[in-house]
Amino acid sequence: MVRIRVAGSETMTDLVRDTAGRPLRNLRVSVTDRCNLRCSYCMPEEDYVWLPKERLLHYGQLTAIVAAAVDLGVRKVRLTGGEPLLRRELWRFVEQLRALSGLQEIAMTTNGLLMAEQAEQLFGAGLDRVTISMDTLHADRFRTATRRDGLSATLEGIQAAATHGSAPVKLNMVVQRGVNDDEVLDLLHFAREGGHELRYIEYMDVDGATRWDPTQVVSRQEILERIQERHGPAVPVDKVGAAPADRFRLDDGTVFGVISSTTQPFCGTCDRARLTADGRLFTCLYATEGLPLGPGVVQGWSTERLSQEIRQRWARRIDRGAEERLALGSERSPTSVPELRADPHLEMHTKGG
Ligand code: SAM
Ligand code: SF4
Ligand code: SF4
């Protein structure tokens, strides 16, 4: 074990780097592959093959894997899915994670539909911050794009997260040409009025986005142009660590982010791994094979054993999935439906977005 001193007095373990020298700092935990929406860019199919219920790990088992990852340098966990708030009593998991010394931040990405009823308990249990997906301000458009009614519940969820959490709520908007790109400025205003921070996400050809169409991608450059045309210069804000969003500030103080995985990927600094609800660890959003930790944790493997397995996998990591997709040019496309049905682990909603 190597102990290093980082920036001043903080002592932390820094045990593993991949083949490109990237440390393991962030872990996204997909607590369920199920969802109560069917967003056209994520789950457009009529039906899905789900992870078998009997293989899903309970919170104690997931916490054991997270603890092993924390020992290797993970400092931030993001709960995601599928829709994380569908997992029963999620606050209990948050409480268990909070007890891990060394873990600095517990965040969540959610569609927010069930946030109003859970926010108080979640933040009470130690959740630090929340990102809520918010693609439109029009109820009919929401219904068409997600095949469910839910705009008002999402708005209530955003309000509840703002009330009970101490950090500003982040809003994720996947911008799709011809679907919601006419709302780029409206959502910025909505976020500013509510004291939230908006992040624009380029439409990605992640596995599961089976209707992905390059002509629907609105690039970071185009998003910035549209904003600057109305609001003047958007000045880059210093980037914190390896965060996926590039942040900008407008003259009036409004800060927003852009996640440009499709046109300007940031794999070079990527320090994220993903854990599925059945305990499979993926070292890239585009990875086709994961490390199956589920059977080991069910057998009662020690934290040291789990850490050893993760360390070995991370040390061999060569992933640069989004950069490789970009290099394919016009050949790029998401994985086909039959392939996804053969292995649902490939789906973005299983791996955790
Ligand atoms: N259900 C939760 C939600 O929607 O926030 C968490 C899981 S979702 C997979 C995580 C994030 O991935 C969401 O912000 C969603 O908008 C984003 N996402 C899903 N499919 C995408 C795609 N094809 N391109 C870009 N972002 C996508
Ligand atoms: Fe569900 Fe989130 Fe995917 Fe939408 S983006 S279908 S809310 S998992
Ligand atoms: Fe990281 Fe893979 Fe995304 Fe690149 S594509 S930023 S390596 S998760």
Side-chain angles (χ1 to χ4, degrees):
M1 178 189 287
V2 183
R3 286 209 176 257
I4 57 165
R5 191 159 281 277
V6 176
S9 60
E10 190 191 8
T11 301
M12 55 202 297
T13 50
D14 192 1
L15 298 180
V16 64
R17 288 190 180 259
D18 69 8
T19 56
R22 298 170 294 186
L24 173 58
R25 286 275 181 258
N26 280 283
L27 182 63
R28 298 197 174 182
V29 183
S30 172
V31 294
T32 176
D33 55 335
R34 317 275 167 140
C35 191
N36 45 4
L37 294 182
R38 289 290 181 273
C39 302
S40 59
Y41 51 71
C42 177
M43 299 179 74
E45 301 304 319
E46 281 310 314
D47 63 293
Y48 283 92
V49 177
W50 307 108
L51 295 179
K53 279 219 164 98
E54 63 279 8
R55 297 249 181 91
L56 303 189
L57 299 182
H58 58 62
Y59 291 150
Q61 293 167 332
L62 289 172
T63 304
I65 298 175
V66 176
V70 168
D71 277 358
L72 294 173
V74 162
R75 293 291 166 264
K76 179 172 166 182
V77 164
R78 177 170 294 276
L79 307 181
T80 181
E83 175 44 42
L85 297 179
L86 286 180
R87 185 88 190 237
R88 197 173 303 163
E89 298 188 329
L90 188 63
W91 64 272
R92 290 188 189 277
F93 186 35
V94 173
E95 204 172 59
Q96 291 184 21
L97 294 176
R98 193 73 282 170
L100 297 177
S101 64
L103 186 59
Q104 290 168 356
E105 188 175 303
I106 306 171
M108 185 194 307
T109 303
T110 167
N111 62 33
L113 256 71
L114 300 172
M115 184 48 97
E117 56 204 65
Q118 298 186 36
E120 190 171 359
Q121 268 181 319
L122 286 164
F123 286 106
L127 183 66
D128 291 302
R129 54 168 61 244
V130 160
T131 300
I132 298 185
S133 295
M134 178 77 196
D135 299 320
T136 178
L137 293 165
H138 300 292
D140 53 342
R141 196 175 268 187
F142 187 103
R143 200 177 306 118
T144 311
T146 67
R147 286 189 275 151
R148 304 284 189 276
D149 241 336
L151 180 62
S152 56
T154 304
L155 292 170
E156 284 167 27
I158 293 170
Q159 191 51 50
T163 304
H164 294 287
S166 50
V169 176
K170 287 185 183 160
L171 302 179
N172 274 357
M173 175 189 191
V174 178
V175 187
Q176 281 178 281
R177 194 180 311 285
V179 175
N180 64 347
D181 63 318
D182 56 342
E183 293 189 70
V184 162
L185 295 176
D186 293 348
L187 267 149
L188 187 64
H189 301 156
F190 170 82
R192 185 185 55 197
E193 295 307 307
H196 318 306
E197 185 173 317
L198 182 63
R199 292 141 39 112
Y200 300 100
I201 306 182
E202 289 180 351
Y203 186 16
M204 297 162 66
D205 61 341
V206 288
D207 293 338
T210 48
R211 311 284 159 89
W212 187 78
D213 171 352
T215 66
Q216 284 194 322
V217 176
V218 182
S219 69
R220 160 202 172 110
Q221 188 184 342
E222 188 176 341
I223 292 167
L224 287 173
E225 278 168 9
R226 289 198 200 182
I227 293 170
Q228 297 190 109
E229 208 171 285
R230 170 74 71 87
H231 292 287
V235 179
V237 175
D238 282 346
K239 200 166 169 154
V240 184
D246 283 330
R247 296 167 76 230
F248 300 87
R249 181 177 282 109
L250 297 172
D251 259 1
D252 66 3
T254 307
V255 174
F256 64 93
V258 185
I259 300 179
S260 54
S261 315
T262 305
T263 68
Q264 293 181 39
F266 34 82
C267 302
T269 56
C270 177
D271 59 4
R272 279 178 300 286
R274 291 177 157 81
L275 184 66
T276 64
D278 63 350
R280 208 170 283 197
L281 188 89
F282 286 89
T283 53
C284 179
L285 187 52
Y286 289 93
T288 51
E289 275 181 31
L291 175 69
L293 293 169
V297 85
V298 168
Q299 280 173 39
W301 280 2
S302 65
T303 310
E304 289 71 25
R305 174 76 197 275
L306 289 166
S307 287
Q308 192 187 356
E309 298 284 332
I310 300 170
R311 187 198 300 117
Q312 282 171 2
R313 174 54 65 106
W314 190 267
R316 284 190 276 119
R317 179 183 189 237
I318 54 168
D319 303 287
R320 307 186 87 93
E323 287 181 0
E324 284 164 9
R325 292 278 174 126
L326 181 62
L328 288 174
S330 59
E331 302 293 305
R332 70 188 288 172
S333 65
T335 301
S336 70
V337 175
E339 285 171 291
L340 293 170
R341 291 187 70 83
D343 184 3
H345 286 99
L346 298 178
E347 297 266 10
M348 162 91 142
H349 66 260
T350 309
K351 277 190 195 138

